[in-house]
Amino acid sequence: MKRVWTQLGLRCTLHLISSLMLVTLVALVASPAEAAGKERAICVGPGAQQWPAVHGGRVVWADNRNGNWDIYMKDLFTGLEVPMCTAVGDQNAPAIFGDRIVWQDNRNGNGDIYMYDLATATEWSICVEPHTQADPAIFGDWIVWVDNRNGNDDIYAFYLQPLPPAPAPLSSSRLGSVPASGTEFPICTHAASQQRPAIWDNFIVWMDNRNGNWDIYRTDWSTGDVPVCAAAGDQMFPDVSANRFVWQDNRNGNWDLYMYDVATGIESPICTEAANQQYPAIWGDRIVWQDDRYLGGTGIDIGMHDLATQDESPICVVAGDQSAPSICDDRIVWQDYRSGTTWDIYMYDLDPSWGERQITSLPSGQSSPDISGRRIVWQDDRNGNDDIYMYDLASATESPICTQAALQWYPAIWGDRIVWQDYRNGVGDIYMYDVAAATESPISTYPAPKYNPDIWGSGIVWRDVRNLNNDIYRYNLATGTESLLPTEGMCMWPTIWGDRIVWVDGRYAPPVIYVYEFVTGERGIATGAGERRLPEIFCDRVVWQDKRNGNDDIYMYDAVNSYIDTPICTQAASQQSPVIWGDHIVWQDNRNGNWDIYMYDLTTGTESAVCKATGNQTVPAIDGDRIVWQDNRNGNPDIYMQKLATVSFDDVLRAHPFWQHVEAICAHDVTSGTSSAPPLYGPTSNVTRGQMASFICKAFHNPPTADFSWYDPGAPTFTDVPRGSNGIYDDPETDGTHIFYGYVERLYQKGITGGIGGGLYGVTGSITRGQMAVFMCKAAGKTPLNSPTPHFTDVLQTHPFYGWIERLADAGSWGAYGPPTAGTSPTTFSPAATCTRGHMAAFIQRAKEWELPVK
């Protein structure tokens, strides 16, 4: 059941510098530990790109490649860059949440607020008042912005249109009277100026000069305007995540960073270095900002503070300015002037790894996992009863959350908050643990059973039988109040997203799916024949398990795009327990005779197997690009996780036939491509003999059994692969050592190559497929296979590479992924054809038996 948890990076006005030179990373002034991750260019022109924002696997920015500012987006999973809005006038300051992108738009001659819904491919005008509206931010169904319709800058909000009614109306005696949908609200209209709003769940925060200087104010819908910080000097550019507010603060004479935690009531300095730290953004435990301390004050760079570890790290320190950072989960984006000519968009991924990993490995049972961001929770019986445990992917640490002597079941997590069903009082109660505050709290202990808790933001929902039927209750953490939803009392499996609660309702036969929306009340959204179970919601989409066809299938209701039930998977076998996050729907599936995990991508319209291991894989949960499930392949239930891969190179998109292979060798540091800005791999380019040496050495280096490291014999073997004064290749090279010198020497030292004759290696020459077979087999420790019957009609026994090609194509000589090649056709190998970089990726991945990413 997993939910998003995000922040909205704030935009700032930035000055351009006149002339800067691109250099490599230099020694840091403050010398904090550098973050472990990977940087990549997202967009490097044409034109300038500014004001980036990130959510999930999508990055948006303002782009002037067309002569005015437009809105563009990069989908990290498909690798596609798409224009979102190219209307007349300027569109800038974008923000993104889920499928929705908002921005400031002056097509009408003044600043208005517009939105694009990716799920429906529809653009909406949010506010087109005849005055200026600017700096929008979005969270769930709420959009906030700065508005000067009253002659000064105020804060306004818009609540997006809720779920529309189902095609066939369902009557109910308890439907209430509700306000109209798509409503605008004034948030703060004080006579002074309010600017730079940010929103997270029930909190809206902004900078406010009602006291003569800039302070930080907030509202949580129940309290009105509340000062967060009104210290001396100016406090500006706030952001919010969960209970935490951050801002830049010059109380000490320069710009520092401070934070206020609503849960503890404590204000803390985050960074008070002598230099300036500005424009912070926060997501979970991580705060990022722009910082001018690192290069001796000659540029602006990106820094980060981790609240969980109290560690500070530089994220990007290169010449030229890096500014306006935004963060979501492990991804940090910013605008970057390293080129010295224009602003580009770059990203740093704190966890670029992907693939399957085992989270628990105890002989006891771990079950019912859930995930939010980097945290995984589950139900655990290692102590003889069921307890709640958590694993933090960032710190690689496991923690007990609740180990009461009684039973704790069915945990759900959102951000810092974990809820579960707890039997310490004899009946099922609802408890919560706040990871940030390290505190446990009872949510509902009324003496009657309660089941199936779920959490999103400040809202917790569960099924409750205190009234002798199945009701849904909601607890609001912001107000500390519990409320009964006005349903018919026959509700099962409640789940929550934003202000929407979805459940299976038994008032009709067969049961149907209902949604309760806090502005419009309840309504049925999935009716007709067949039993429905286990609904899940993300934004406007609801998925569930459906028996209308006689077996369990997966269906989806898109409230904005179609208003009808859409089949997602209707295999003859059973599909159960669906979950959804963004465009990805995941479920358990027994088409192969046991339960496996499958996924459907709404963007590409493709279905993929996530895990088809032995035993059963069940009850998946998804958050962003991480999928977790319960897995008994080892004889007892364990928790496993699959992290989906993003696209690393702009010329090898997810639909490319070699995408999986390229990502596999990239993940093992065999290649970094042919260009970094933009990131390119060159899949159709021929592999040169120099590149082949690098590919082979990096792929087959496995000390101590196989040493393929850079090798310097002290003098060059080949005249076309020179050695400089130190035999080390530097980037940029300073002493004349060839970029492939050490790799070529290693292949020669191992007897894999003797060059092309005349003292030459032929470093720039293209390698043929036949030569590649020899290189690969020798590096893998294989010998020629003199088969009595050739695999290929164009490689007969008289061919000089016959035995090597036979070995390369022999299934029994290789592992789980089969032989590195099946030829260029069922009967031909094409030994004289040149080997492309795309083919090389496939050859290496299969030979090494490296895991492929889920496609």
Side-chain angles (χ1 to χ4, degrees), residues 160-198:
L160 291 166
Q161 180 174 340
L163 293 169
L170 296 174
S171 62
S172 172
S173 60
R174 297 173 68 177
L175 285 173
S177 176
V178 294
S181 62
T183 306
E184 181 182 282
F185 300 88
I187 299 299
C188 181
T189 57
H190 192 277
S193 287
Q194 295 80 43
Q195 296 181 2
R196 299 288 179 166

mmCIF file of all heavy atoms in Angstrom, residues 160-198:
data_model
loop_
_atom_site.group_PDB
_atom_site.id
_atom_site.type_symbol
_atom_site.label_atom_id
_atom_site.label_comp_id
_atom_site.label_asym_id
_atom_site.label_seq_id
_atom_site.Cartn_x
_atom_site.Cartn_y
_atom_site.Cartn_z
ATOM 1 N N LEU A 160 -8.175 20.680 -6.057
ATOM 2 C CA LEU A 160 -8.483 20.147 -7.372
ATOM 3 C C LEU A 160 -9.775 19.345 -7.391
ATOM 4 O O LEU A 160 -10.210 18.810 -6.367
ATOM 5 C CB LEU A 160 -7.334 19.250 -7.852
ATOM 6 C CG LEU A 160 -6.042 19.984 -8.173
ATOM 7 C CD1 LEU A 160 -4.896 18.998 -8.305
ATOM 8 C CD2 LEU A 160 -6.203 20.784 -9.454
ATOM 9 N N GLN A 161 -10.379 19.235 -8.583
ATOM 10 C CA GLN A 161 -11.634 18.527 -8.760
ATOM 11 C C GLN A 161 -11.528 17.110 -8.223
ATOM 12 O O GLN A 161 -10.627 16.356 -8.573
ATOM 13 C CB GLN A 161 -11.999 18.469 -10.245
ATOM 14 C CG GLN A 161 -13.300 17.742 -10.524
ATOM 15 C CD GLN A 161 -13.685 17.828 -11.980
ATOM 16 O OE1 GLN A 161 -13.211 18.702 -12.689
ATOM 17 N NE2 GLN A 161 -14.533 16.930 -12.422
ATOM 18 N N PRO A 162 -12.455 16.706 -7.382
ATOM 19 C CA PRO A 162 -12.412 15.362 -6.806
ATOM 20 C C PRO A 162 -12.922 14.323 -7.794
ATOM 21 O O PRO A 162 -13.271 14.630 -8.924
ATOM 22 C CB PRO A 162 -13.333 15.469 -5.601
ATOM 23 C CG PRO A 162 -14.337 16.490 -6.023
ATOM 24 C CD PRO A 162 -13.568 17.493 -6.859
ATOM 25 N N LEU A 163 -12.958 13.084 -7.327
ATOM 26 C CA LEU A 163 -13.431 11.993 -8.169
ATOM 27 C C LEU A 163 -14.855 12.238 -8.651
ATOM 28 O O LEU A 163 -15.740 12.519 -7.850
ATOM 29 C CB LEU A 163 -13.400 10.684 -7.380
ATOM 30 C CG LEU A 163 -12.018 10.160 -6.994
ATOM 31 C CD1 LEU A 163 -12.170 9.021 -6.008
ATOM 32 C CD2 LEU A 163 -11.248 9.707 -8.200
ATOM 33 N N PRO A 164 -15.123 12.111 -9.948
ATOM 34 C CA PRO A 164 -16.480 12.282 -10.451
ATOM 35 C C PRO A 164 -17.323 11.057 -10.144
ATOM 36 O O PRO A 164 -16.807 10.003 -9.805
ATOM 37 C CB PRO A 164 -16.267 12.441 -11.958
ATOM 38 C CG PRO A 164 -15.017 11.689 -12.222
ATOM 39 C CD PRO A 164 -14.159 11.852 -11.001
ATOM 40 N N PRO A 165 -18.637 11.175 -10.264
ATOM 41 C CA PRO A 165 -19.494 10.032 -9.968
ATOM 42 C C PRO A 165 -19.310 8.922 -10.996
ATOM 43 O O PRO A 165 -18.851 9.147 -12.107
ATOM 44 C CB PRO A 165 -20.902 10.621 -10.043
ATOM 45 C CG PRO A 165 -20.758 11.812 -10.915
ATOM 46 C CD PRO A 165 -19.400 12.358 -10.643
ATOM 47 N N ALA A 166 -19.674 7.700 -10.582
ATOM 48 C CA ALA A 166 -19.625 6.564 -11.489
ATOM 49 C C ALA A 166 -20.671 6.728 -12.582
ATOM 50 O O ALA A 166 -21.657 7.442 -12.407
ATOM 51 C CB ALA A 166 -19.875 5.271 -10.713
ATOM 52 N N PRO A 167 -20.516 6.063 -13.741
ATOM 53 C CA PRO A 167 -21.490 6.187 -14.819
ATOM 54 C C PRO A 167 -22.897 5.795 -14.398
ATOM 55 O O PRO A 167 -23.865 6.433 -14.771
ATOM 56 C CB PRO A 167 -20.938 5.237 -15.887
ATOM 57 C CG PRO A 167 -19.493 5.099 -15.584
ATOM 58 C CD PRO A 167 -19.366 5.240 -14.114
ATOM 59 N N ALA A 168 -23.021 4.719 -13.629
ATOM 60 C CA ALA A 168 -24.330 4.301 -13.124
ATOM 61 C C ALA A 168 -24.473 4.802 -11.700
ATOM 62 O O ALA A 168 -23.738 4.372 -10.817
ATOM 63 C CB ALA A 168 -24.458 2.787 -13.159
ATOM 64 N N PRO A 169 -25.375 5.762 -11.415
ATOM 65 C CA PRO A 169 -25.465 6.334 -10.073
ATOM 66 C C PRO A 169 -25.889 5.291 -9.054
ATOM 67 O O PRO A 169 -26.713 4.425 -9.327
ATOM 68 C CB PRO A 169 -26.524 7.435 -10.233
ATOM 69 C CG PRO A 169 -27.308 7.048 -11.438
ATOM 70 C CD PRO A 169 -26.365 6.340 -12.348
ATOM 71 N N LEU A 170 -25.284 5.399 -7.877
ATOM 72 C CA LEU A 170 -25.617 4.511 -6.771
ATOM 73 C C LEU A 170 -26.307 5.329 -5.690
ATOM 74 O O LEU A 170 -25.782 6.333 -5.234
ATOM 75 C CB LEU A 170 -24.354 3.864 -6.204
ATOM 76 C CG LEU A 170 -23.592 2.931 -7.158
ATOM 77 C CD1 LEU A 170 -22.290 2.483 -6.505
ATOM 78 C CD2 LEU A 170 -24.451 1.729 -7.486
ATOM 79 N N SER A 171 -27.474 4.902 -5.273
ATOM 80 C CA SER A 171 -28.203 5.637 -4.239
ATOM 81 C C SER A 171 -27.675 5.264 -2.872
ATOM 82 O O SER A 171 -27.180 4.176 -2.643
ATOM 83 C CB SER A 171 -29.690 5.301 -4.323
ATOM 84 O OG SER A 171 -29.893 3.930 -4.079
ATOM 85 N N SER A 172 -27.786 6.189 -1.953
ATOM 86 C CA SER A 172 -27.402 5.929 -0.568
ATOM 87 C C SER A 172 -28.163 6.896 0.323
ATOM 88 O O SER A 172 -28.273 8.078 0.029
ATOM 89 C CB SER A 172 -25.901 6.116 -0.377
ATOM 90 O OG SER A 172 -25.574 6.052 0.992
ATOM 91 N N SER A 173 -28.655 6.393 1.417
ATOM 92 C CA SER A 173 -29.431 7.231 2.322
ATOM 93 C C SER A 173 -28.536 8.157 3.131
ATOM 94 O O SER A 173 -29.045 9.029 3.824
ATOM 95 C CB SER A 173 -30.229 6.330 3.283
ATOM 96 O OG SER A 173 -29.342 5.511 4.036
ATOM 97 N N ARG A 174 -27.213 7.974 3.028
ATOM 98 C CA ARG A 174 -26.337 8.747 3.897
ATOM 99 C C ARG A 174 -25.402 9.661 3.104
ATOM 100 O O ARG A 174 -24.398 10.122 3.620
ATOM 101 C CB ARG A 174 -25.524 7.790 4.776
ATOM 102 C CG ARG A 174 -26.425 6.970 5.700
ATOM 103 C CD ARG A 174 -25.660 5.914 6.440
ATOM 104 N NE ARG A 174 -24.738 6.501 7.408
ATOM 105 C CZ ARG A 174 -23.990 5.770 8.229
ATOM 106 N NH1 ARG A 174 -24.066 4.457 8.210
ATOM 107 N NH2 ARG A 174 -23.161 6.356 9.077
ATOM 108 N N LEU A 175 -25.683 9.905 1.827
ATOM 109 C CA LEU A 175 -24.897 10.872 1.072
ATOM 110 C C LEU A 175 -25.157 12.270 1.603
ATOM 111 O O LEU A 175 -26.311 12.676 1.779
ATOM 112 C CB LEU A 175 -25.237 10.812 -0.408
ATOM 113 C CG LEU A 175 -24.669 9.617 -1.178
ATOM 114 C CD1 LEU A 175 -25.226 9.610 -2.588
ATOM 115 C CD2 LEU A 175 -23.161 9.656 -1.204
ATOM 116 N N GLY A 176 -24.079 13.021 1.877
ATOM 117 C CA GLY A 176 -24.262 14.342 2.462
ATOM 118 C C GLY A 176 -24.235 15.445 1.434
ATOM 119 O O GLY A 176 -23.892 15.256 0.285
ATOM 120 N N SER A 177 -24.594 16.667 1.843
ATOM 121 C CA SER A 177 -24.503 17.845 0.999
ATOM 122 C C SER A 177 -23.082 18.377 1.090
ATOM 123 O O SER A 177 -22.534 18.559 2.186
ATOM 124 C CB SER A 177 -25.492 18.910 1.482
ATOM 125 O OG SER A 177 -25.348 20.080 0.747
ATOM 126 N N VAL A 178 -22.432 18.615 -0.060
ATOM 127 C CA VAL A 178 -21.023 18.985 -0.064
ATOM 128 C C VAL A 178 -20.820 20.207 -0.937
ATOM 129 O O VAL A 178 -21.620 20.504 -1.835
ATOM 130 C CB VAL A 178 -20.165 17.821 -0.593
ATOM 131 C CG1 VAL A 178 -20.204 16.650 0.347
ATOM 132 C CG2 VAL A 178 -20.622 17.412 -1.982
ATOM 133 N N PRO A 179 -19.716 20.977 -0.717
ATOM 134 C CA PRO A 179 -19.420 22.128 -1.568
ATOM 135 C C PRO A 179 -19.061 21.687 -2.984
ATOM 136 O O PRO A 179 -18.738 20.523 -3.232
ATOM 137 C CB PRO A 179 -18.219 22.778 -0.872
ATOM 138 C CG PRO A 179 -18.180 22.184 0.493
ATOM 139 C CD PRO A 179 -18.788 20.833 0.389
ATOM 140 N N ALA A 180 -19.069 22.631 -3.893
ATOM 141 C CA ALA A 180 -18.679 22.346 -5.268
ATOM 142 C C ALA A 180 -17.205 21.993 -5.331
ATOM 143 O O ALA A 180 -16.404 22.414 -4.496
ATOM 144 C CB ALA A 180 -18.972 23.543 -6.158
ATOM 145 N N SER A 181 -16.841 21.205 -6.336
ATOM 146 C CA SER A 181 -15.454 20.789 -6.478
ATOM 147 C C SER A 181 -14.643 21.900 -7.145
ATOM 148 O O SER A 181 -15.194 22.830 -7.727
ATOM 149 C CB SER A 181 -15.376 19.515 -7.309
ATOM 150 O OG SER A 181 -15.871 19.765 -8.607
ATOM 151 N N GLY A 182 -13.316 21.740 -7.092
ATOM 152 C CA GLY A 182 -12.445 22.725 -7.715
ATOM 153 C C GLY A 182 -12.557 24.082 -7.068
ATOM 154 O O GLY A 182 -12.836 25.080 -7.725
ATOM 155 N N THR A 183 -12.314 24.137 -5.771
ATOM 156 C CA THR A 183 -12.559 25.355 -5.002
ATOM 157 C C THR A 183 -11.266 26.096 -4.683
ATOM 158 O O THR A 183 -10.262 25.484 -4.351
ATOM 159 C CB THR A 183 -13.279 25.004 -3.682
ATOM 160 O OG1 THR A 183 -14.449 24.248 -3.981
ATOM 161 C CG2 THR A 183 -13.671 26.259 -2.930
ATOM 162 N N GLU A 184 -11.315 27.426 -4.775
ATOM 163 C CA GLU A 184 -10.179 28.279 -4.430
ATOM 164 C C GLU A 184 -10.379 28.845 -3.029
ATOM 165 O O GLU A 184 -11.494 29.191 -2.637
ATOM 166 C CB GLU A 184 -10.061 29.414 -5.444
ATOM 167 C CG GLU A 184 -8.891 30.348 -5.206
ATOM 168 C CD GLU A 184 -8.858 31.476 -6.222
ATOM 169 O OE1 GLU A 184 -8.414 31.224 -7.352
ATOM 170 O OE2 GLU A 184 -9.294 32.590 -5.882
ATOM 171 N N PHE A 185 -9.275 28.930 -2.270
ATOM 172 C CA PHE A 185 -9.337 29.416 -0.898
ATOM 173 C C PHE A 185 -8.254 30.469 -0.667
ATOM 174 O O PHE A 185 -7.101 30.260 -1.068
ATOM 175 C CB PHE A 185 -9.085 28.282 0.100
ATOM 176 C CG PHE A 185 -10.058 27.155 0.038
ATOM 177 C CD1 PHE A 185 -9.853 26.090 -0.821
ATOM 178 C CD2 PHE A 185 -11.173 27.138 0.851
ATOM 179 C CE1 PHE A 185 -10.735 25.029 -0.878
ATOM 180 C CE2 PHE A 185 -12.069 26.088 0.810
ATOM 181 C CZ PHE A 185 -11.856 25.031 -0.055
ATOM 182 N N PRO A 186 -8.556 31.575 -0.001
ATOM 183 C CA PRO A 186 -7.489 32.450 0.491
ATOM 184 C C PRO A 186 -6.867 31.824 1.732
ATOM 185 O O PRO A 186 -7.573 31.404 2.653
ATOM 186 C CB PRO A 186 -8.227 33.749 0.821
ATOM 187 C CG PRO A 186 -9.633 33.330 1.108
ATOM 188 C CD PRO A 186 -9.903 32.115 0.277
ATOM 189 N N ILE A 187 -5.559 31.735 1.767
ATOM 190 C CA ILE A 187 -4.864 31.144 2.904
ATOM 191 C C ILE A 187 -4.372 32.220 3.869
ATOM 192 O O ILE A 187 -4.553 32.128 5.077
ATOM 193 C CB ILE A 187 -3.686 30.279 2.431
ATOM 194 C CG1 ILE A 187 -4.201 29.142 1.542
ATOM 195 C CG2 ILE A 187 -2.888 29.730 3.601
ATOM 196 C CD1 ILE A 187 -5.168 28.203 2.226
ATOM 197 N N CYS A 188 -3.748 33.257 3.325
ATOM 198 C CA CYS A 188 -3.300 34.366 4.160
ATOM 199 C C CYS A 188 -3.388 35.647 3.343
ATOM 200 O O CYS A 188 -2.734 35.763 2.304
ATOM 201 C CB CYS A 188 -1.872 34.143 4.654
ATOM 202 S SG CYS A 188 -1.276 35.482 5.725
ATOM 203 N N THR A 189 -4.191 36.593 3.811
ATOM 204 C CA THR A 189 -4.374 37.863 3.104
ATOM 205 C C THR A 189 -4.036 39.038 4.017
ATOM 206 O O THR A 189 -4.701 40.065 3.999
ATOM 207 C CB THR A 189 -5.812 37.990 2.578
ATOM 208 O OG1 THR A 189 -6.727 37.857 3.679
ATOM 209 C CG2 THR A 189 -6.117 36.916 1.540
ATOM 210 N N HIS A 190 -3.028 38.884 4.830
ATOM 211 C CA HIS A 190 -2.576 39.966 5.705
ATOM 212 C C HIS A 190 -2.145 41.157 4.845
ATOM 213 O O HIS A 190 -1.710 41.001 3.698
ATOM 214 C CB HIS A 190 -1.417 39.480 6.564
ATOM 215 C CG HIS A 190 -1.074 40.400 7.686
ATOM 216 N ND1 HIS A 190 -0.261 41.502 7.530
ATOM 217 C CD2 HIS A 190 -1.438 40.388 8.999
ATOM 218 C CE1 HIS A 190 -0.129 42.116 8.686
ATOM 219 N NE2 HIS A 190 -0.825 41.454 9.594
ATOM 220 N N ALA A 191 -2.244 42.350 5.403
ATOM 221 C CA ALA A 191 -1.930 43.569 4.657
ATOM 222 C C ALA A 191 -0.478 43.612 4.198
ATOM 223 O O ALA A 191 -0.153 44.272 3.212
ATOM 224 C CB ALA A 191 -2.241 44.793 5.519
ATOM 225 N N ALA A 192 0.415 42.936 4.918
ATOM 226 C CA ALA A 192 1.804 42.865 4.487
ATOM 227 C C ALA A 192 1.945 41.855 3.356
ATOM 228 O O ALA A 192 0.957 41.334 2.839
ATOM 229 C CB ALA A 192 2.688 42.494 5.673
ATOM 230 N N SER A 193 3.169 41.549 2.981
ATOM 231 C CA SER A 193 3.410 40.616 1.879
ATOM 232 C C SER A 193 3.719 39.222 2.398
ATOM 233 O O SER A 193 4.456 39.046 3.377
ATOM 234 C CB SER A 193 4.574 41.099 1.016
ATOM 235 O OG SER A 193 4.195 42.218 0.241
ATOM 236 N N GLN A 194 3.155 38.231 1.698
ATOM 237 C CA GLN A 194 3.445 36.820 1.953
ATOM 238 C C GLN A 194 3.941 36.216 0.633
ATOM 239 O O GLN A 194 3.298 36.392 -0.399
ATOM 240 C CB GLN A 194 2.199 36.069 2.431
ATOM 241 C CG GLN A 194 1.670 36.527 3.788
ATOM 242 C CD GLN A 194 0.837 37.781 3.723
ATOM 243 O OE1 GLN A 194 0.000 37.926 2.834
ATOM 244 N NE2 GLN A 194 1.058 38.699 4.648
ATOM 245 N N GLN A 195 5.064 35.532 0.681
ATOM 246 C CA GLN A 195 5.659 35.013 -0.550
ATOM 247 C C GLN A 195 6.211 33.605 -0.331
ATOM 248 O O GLN A 195 6.304 33.117 0.778
ATOM 249 C CB GLN A 195 6.778 35.942 -1.041
ATOM 250 C CG GLN A 195 6.308 37.324 -1.446
ATOM 251 C CD GLN A 195 7.443 38.201 -1.951
ATOM 252 O OE1 GLN A 195 8.593 37.770 -2.039
ATOM 253 N NE2 GLN A 195 7.127 39.449 -2.279
ATOM 254 N N ARG A 196 6.572 32.970 -1.453
ATOM 255 C CA ARG A 196 7.263 31.682 -1.499
ATOM 256 C C ARG A 196 6.578 30.596 -0.674
ATOM 257 O O ARG A 196 7.162 30.021 0.248
ATOM 258 C CB ARG A 196 8.697 31.839 -1.013
ATOM 259 C CG ARG A 196 9.509 32.797 -1.857
ATOM 260 C CD ARG A 196 9.837 32.195 -3.207
ATOM 261 N NE ARG A 196 10.599 33.113 -4.030
ATOM 262 C CZ ARG A 196 11.250 32.784 -5.122
ATOM 263 N NH1 ARG A 196 11.202 31.546 -5.551
ATOM 264 N NH2 ARG A 196 11.912 33.685 -5.821
ATOM 265 N N PRO A 197 5.342 30.239 -1.011
ATOM 266 C CA PRO A 197 4.670 29.193 -0.245
ATOM 267 C C PRO A 197 5.222 27.810 -0.579
ATOM 268 O O PRO A 197 5.690 27.541 -1.693
ATOM 269 C CB PRO A 197 3.216 29.321 -0.696
ATOM 270 C CG PRO A 197 3.326 29.823 -2.103
ATOM 271 C CD PRO A 197 4.500 30.765 -2.104
ATOM 272 N N ALA A 198 5.157 26.924 0.386
ATOM 273 C CA ALA A 198 5.435 25.504 0.195
ATOM 274 C C ALA A 198 4.345 24.743 0.939
ATOM 275 O O ALA A 198 3.768 25.248 1.915
ATOM 276 C CB ALA A 198 6.815 25.137 0.720
#
